[in-house]
Amino acid sequence: MKHIHAGKVRDLYADGESLILVASDRVSVYDVVLPTPIPDKGALLTQLSNWWFDYFADVPNHVVSTTDVPDEFTGRAVRVRPLQMVQVECIARGYLVGSGLQEYRHTGAVSGVRLPEGLREGDRLPEPIFTPTTKASAGHDEPITFDDVVNQEGREVAERLRALTLEIYTRGAEHAAERGVIIADTKVEFGWNADVLTLGDEVLTSDSSRFWPADEWEPGRAQRSFDKQFVRDWATSTGWDKEPPGPEIPSDIVAATREKYMDAYQRITGHTWS
Ligand code: ATP
Ligand code: MG
């Protein structure tokens, strides 16, 4: 197979008409891949994403097969249709946190969406909002407004991207809420399979979303989470300047991170990880 793309976390190979999307155990923080892998992370992300693709059975997605992949990648790879990826990272936010919170504090808005005054860290938004970013091939993605997406993709496509992103977020968040998990925000990517707008990449995973235990949610402070935030916080606490190389992750932090990814998988899917 021809290796056609090395992402921070995943690799893409061409295999005949399809692509093999392989999730590694790498973890990236502030767009820097840390030197220490998290065991099972690639498989946990792949299995959770596959579970959601089935859940959103009515949304066209890129999956061709979850089993017809080379043996060495079993469990952490999917055979997918090659899509012409839309060059927008489609983000939905239901809660105020992270870069959204920073932007709100500076401007009172996130990606051009004006929000009520007086919101605190971790507050639930009056309704989920669409806050797209650029899809930078290197470096950091930058926030853009809905109008920027309209200029880039045309109004009809921009409106479909926004509606689909908010629908996936809302339906996913409803399911997760029944399992005691708040999905604070998430990122999805779409692409074109001929003229069909298709959900690609990964869906509602601990890498692409913020997952919080609902029973511990308390606006006004940082939330406990089942996602990458834990590693981000640890990396920040080391005094690291966010420039490569990133710090080696100690074994207790590796183990705790693995537990979080596993916890998210188990709560959301209802399956036991083995
Ligand atoms: P970058 O690609 O900028 O390094 P990243 O670190 O997010 O970003 P990964 O998530 O590791 O990259 O790699 C997955 C890549 O594969 C993404 O660029 C994503 O847009 C792309 N991709 C996902 N699904 C498909 C598909 N069906 N067809 C083509 N490309 C896809
Ligand atoms: Mg990605």
Side-chain angles (χ1 to χ4, degrees), residues 10-272:
R10 280 159 310 151
D11 290 282
L12 273 176
Y13 297 85
D15 188 27
E17 302 275 279
S18 45
L19 298 176
I20 307 289
L21 180 59
V22 185
S24 71
D25 291 342
R26 299 189 289 270
V27 59
S28 82
V29 177
Y30 302 110
D31 291 328
V32 175
V33 178
L34 300 186
T36 322
I38 308 294
D40 293 331
K41 177 176 175 282
L44 282 158
L45 292 181
T46 301
Q47 301 301 317
L48 181 54
S49 194
N50 290 346
W51 189 88
W52 284 116
F53 279 125
D54 281 346
Y55 188 84
F56 297 113
D58 53 328
V59 178
N61 71 59
H62 69 168
V63 178
V64 173
S65 171
T66 57
T67 51
D68 181 16
V69 298
D71 286 346
E72 57 182 311
F73 301 140
T74 300
R76 61 187 182 93
V78 270
R79 179 176 293 272
V80 302
R81 274 176 206 90
L83 303 179
Q84 196 64 48
M85 298 308 288
V86 173
Q87 293 303 303
V88 175
E89 305 249 338
C90 293
I91 297 169
R93 299 173 186 273
Y95 292 75
L96 193 59
V97 65
S99 61
L101 175 66
Q102 306 301 333
E103 213 187 311
Y104 169 77
R105 283 180 173 158
H106 282 111
T107 66
V110 184
S111 295
V113 182
R114 189 138 293 281
L115 294 173
E117 279 176 35
L119 293 176
R120 297 157 299 170
E121 173 171 14
D123 259 329
R124 185 173 185 167
L125 301 176
E127 60 183 0
I129 58 173
F130 179 61
T131 61
T133 70
T134 59
K135 186 167 153 47
S137 50
H140 301 292
D141 297 327
E142 301 295 337
I144 51 177
T145 65
F146 178 71
D147 287 341
D148 294 328
V149 182
V150 171
N151 288 335
Q152 189 181 309
E153 304 293 333
R155 179 159 299 276
E156 196 218 319
V157 172
E159 280 174 358
R160 285 172 65 198
L161 291 170
R162 178 170 65 185
L164 271 168
T165 303
L166 292 173
E167 182 191 333
I168 288 164
Y169 171 76
T170 304
R171 284 167 60 189
E174 270 166 26
H175 167 80
E178 289 167 12
R179 305 296 178 106
V181 177
I182 289 173
I183 304 181
D185 53 29
T186 197
K187 187 246 348 175
V188 285
E189 292 184 27
F190 297 92
W192 295 99
N193 174 19
D195 58 356
V196 181
L197 193 57
T198 302
L199 183 57
D201 208 52
E202 62 179 342
V203 186
L204 293 168
T205 71
S206 313
D207 267 11
S208 64
S209 323
R210 286 191 171 86
F211 294 145
W212 299 338
D215 57 357
E216 293 175 48
W217 174 53
E218 193 186 300
R221 61 160 171 81
Q223 309 299 313
R224 198 166 83 76
S225 70
F226 301 124
D227 57 56
K228 213 161 84 167
Q229 191 60 38
F230 178 74
V231 199
R232 264 189 217 113
D233 290 345
W234 166 80
T236 309
S237 75
T238 64
W240 172 51
D241 61 5
K242 302 183 184 172
E243 294 300 324
E248 292 273 358
I249 316 175
S251 59
D252 57 327
I253 301 293
V254 170
T257 304
R258 180 176 177 278
E259 284 296 318
K260 286 180 186 291
Y261 278 75
M262 203 160 70
D263 205 356
Y265 169 85
Q266 297 192 143
R267 286 189 186 223
I268 289 170
T269 65
H271 299 163
T272 304

